[in-house]
Amino acid sequence: LVLSLLWAYNTYVRHAASARDLHKLLTWVPLIQLANGILSLLYFSSCPWDDTAALVFAMLWAVVAILKEPVLLLCLLLIAKGWCITRTSLQRREMCVAGSVVALLYAAISINLSMDSLVSLVPMVLLYLVILADISASIYANLRILKAQLLVLRSLGVDPTTTPVAKKHAMYSRFALLTALYTLCEILIHSLAQA
């Protein structure tokens, strides 16, 4: 909660003049995670789920749990594509592909939550892998572009380590590793939950 409020304060108040759309979009990620955590506590503490309040908690928990993954992965995908970081807009094709994959993931998560079988896990894992592939390809495309910019700066006699390009290159390198780790953890968690 504290980090969510701090992020919102920094984005909308303290750095409002320099905040970009990506910063504003990223405000939703911890808020959805916080709502999911609170609703999970309410949902599981109301077990055996035989009164009206328990059914309301169950419904709200399911809605937030279904929304949580696509929103988070969409944010990861937008960062990977460099939106508001290395470029100001995305191509229409990129947005259509990203929207389609996220919509399919939303449907797969809905099916997974409504069916308690291993078969319902397969489409979700496949879509995670598709999104990871898209995120990875976008990250490595940005890394290649940033590396080329670093080489140009070096050839012009500029120390590239003192430029924002070097910081973006380092950020994307770490982002690639963290995204792969996150995806593997998500697949493991969902696999263990189904077992």
Side-chain angles (χ1 to χ4, degrees):
L1 175 63
V2 172
L3 292 176
S4 299
L5 293 175
L6 184 61
W7 181 272
Y9 172 75
N10 280 329
T11 301
Y12 290 100
V13 178
R14 188 170 176 204
H15 301 291
S18 61
R20 298 182 180 203
D21 290 338
L22 182 62
H23 297 108
K24 294 173 183 172
L25 178 65
L26 289 175
T27 305
W28 288 102
V29 173
L31 292 176
I32 290 173
Q33 294 285 56
L34 177 67
N36 186 57
I38 291 170
L39 288 170
S40 293
L41 287 173
L42 293 172
Y43 171 66
F44 290 113
S45 68
S46 64
C47 183
W49 307 296
D50 56 1
D51 62 345
T52 305
L55 294 175
V56 170
F57 292 146
M59 180 196 64
L60 292 173
W61 176 80
V63 168
V64 173
I66 291 169
L67 285 175
K68 175 180 70 126
E69 300 294 331
V71 168
L72 179 62
L73 289 172
L74 180 62
C75 289
L76 287 176
L77 188 58
L78 291 173
I79 292 169
K81 291 194 175 291
W83 183 54
C84 296
I85 299 169
T86 59
R87 54 190 172 149
T88 56
S89 63
L90 299 176
Q91 296 175 1
R92 182 181 176 99
R93 184 190 62 79
E94 289 176 310
M95 292 305 298
C96 289
V97 168
S100 299
V101 171
V102 168
L104 288 171
L105 179 64
Y106 177 83
I109 292 171
S110 300
I111 291 168
N112 188 329
L113 285 176
S114 64
M115 293 175 53
D116 195 24
S117 72
L118 193 58
V119 174
S120 68
L121 183 66
V122 173
M124 192 171 68
V125 170
L126 289 176
L127 286 167
Y128 269 117
L129 294 175
V130 167
I131 291 174
L132 176 63
D134 193 9
I135 289 172
S136 297
S138 298
I139 289 171
Y140 291 117
N142 277 317
L143 282 171
R144 283 192 307 274
I145 291 167
L146 293 169
K147 182 70 171 179
Q149 291 174 355
L150 289 171
L151 292 173
V152 168
L153 287 170
R154 183 174 288 130
S155 71
L156 294 173
V158 176
D159 180 14
T161 60
T162 62
T163 65
V165 176
K167 291 181 182 181
K168 289 178 183 180
H169 188 273
M171 178 194 76
Y172 270 98
S173 297
R174 287 189 302 267
F175 184 58
L177 293 172
L178 292 173
T179 301
L181 180 65
Y182 167 78
T183 304
L184 291 174
C185 288
E186 279 289 327
I187 290 170
L188 180 66
I189 288 169
H190 287 292
S191 298
L192 291 174
Q194 291 295 321

